[in-house]
Amino acid sequence: MTRNLKEQILKTASELFYSQGIKATGVDAIVKAAGTTKMTLYKYYPSKEDLVIAYLRRRDVDFTQWFVAQIDDRAAHPRDKLVAIFDVIGEWMQKPEFRGCAFINASAEFPLEDNPVHRVSAEFYDKFRGYIAELARSADAAHPDALAQQLALLFAGAIVSEQMKQNSDAIVTARAAAEILIDLALRGHPELSR
């Protein structure tokens, strides 16, 4: 029962943090929605910051597993996997519950780089760029780290654009730009190293 209650608190907080924002979601709202008490919440999560970090870490694991599985289901060749990143994100953006990227949102709410919430968000994007760089290396792209940075920027930009204006088609533009960058990198174009 204890494990279930801890999970219920985290699940409830996660839904509220993502849909309403971290700072806009108070502990009172979380305990009410979870059907528990503050004392119980603080037993498992000594502070709201601890709960926020648990939310982001869980989001990292869940999103990464889902995302990689989606990419692997769509493509076998690393070049095609790089392009599929934008297809998967495009479909995610069409879901009614889409509210942007939890990590971008969290870092916007906690902009100071030494803040633990900001650091967890930055760690997610470092790992995400690492995943893209590994795909780029597997595809024999010139300058895989530079390509990963460029594709991650397109990815994040498309997410923010869609969050600001739904049905913006930003992901279509980002995908087209990504294909150009990927193809140039696979041909060993020197400009991509900058």
Side-chain angles (χ1 to χ4, degrees):
M1 183 66 167
T2 299
R3 183 91 172 129
N4 291 342
L5 187 53
K6 182 178 181 181
E7 286 299 314
Q8 179 60 32
I9 292 168
L10 181 57
K11 181 179 182 291
T12 302
S14 297
E15 291 167 0
L16 292 171
F17 289 154
Y18 185 67
S19 65
Q20 298 178 13
I22 295 168
K23 289 185 177 180
T25 302
V27 170
D28 289 335
I30 295 167
V31 297
K32 182 178 180 184
T36 189
T37 64
K38 281 186 184 180
M39 190 166 82
T40 302
L41 182 144
Y42 288 128
K43 173 182 170 186
Y44 298 118
Y45 304 99
S47 69
K48 183 179 175 184
E49 183 177 273
D50 291 323
L51 183 56
V52 171
I53 290 170
Y55 150 65
L56 291 171
R57 293 213 186 278
R58 171 67 58 84
R59 186 82 174 198
D60 180 347
V61 169
D62 291 348
F63 182 84
T64 301
Q65 288 175 349
W66 170 83
F67 185 76
V68 171
Q70 291 293 310
I71 298 298
D72 290 345
D73 285 348
R74 289 169 194 266
H77 189 275
R79 185 249 182 234
D80 297 333
K81 287 184 179 194
L82 289 168
V83 175
I85 289 169
F86 295 88
D87 297 331
V88 171
I89 294 306
E91 289 178 16
W92 172 55
M93 289 176 173
Q94 297 306 310
K95 294 185 177 190
E97 65 272 10
F98 175 77
R99 299 289 180 271
C101 171
F103 303 96
I104 292 172
N105 296 346
S107 65
E109 288 195 63
F110 298 88
L112 299 178
E113 287 185 22
D114 64 341
N115 182 284
V117 173
H118 189 94
R119 284 196 312 262
V120 169
S121 299
E123 287 170 14
F124 170 82
Y125 271 94
D126 287 344
K127 288 190 326 188
F128 182 70
R129 276 189 302 277
Y131 169 72
I132 297 172
E134 284 304 311
L135 290 178
R137 278 187 197 84
S138 296
D140 292 326
H143 313 291
D145 293 324
L147 178 61
Q149 176 71 12
Q150 292 160 348
L151 296 181
L153 288 170
L154 288 172
F155 169 90
I159 289 172
V160 171
S161 292
E162 185 67 21
Q163 186 175 2
M164 293 175 68
K165 183 175 191 249
Q166 290 186 338
N167 302 312
S168 68
D169 282 337
I171 195 66
V172 174
T173 304
R175 186 187 194 279
E179 286 198 87
I180 292 167
L181 291 169
I182 292 164
D183 290 340
L184 287 172
L186 294 181
R187 285 188 231 130
H189 199 281
E191 290 297 311
L192 291 177
S193 65
R194 294 182 184 171

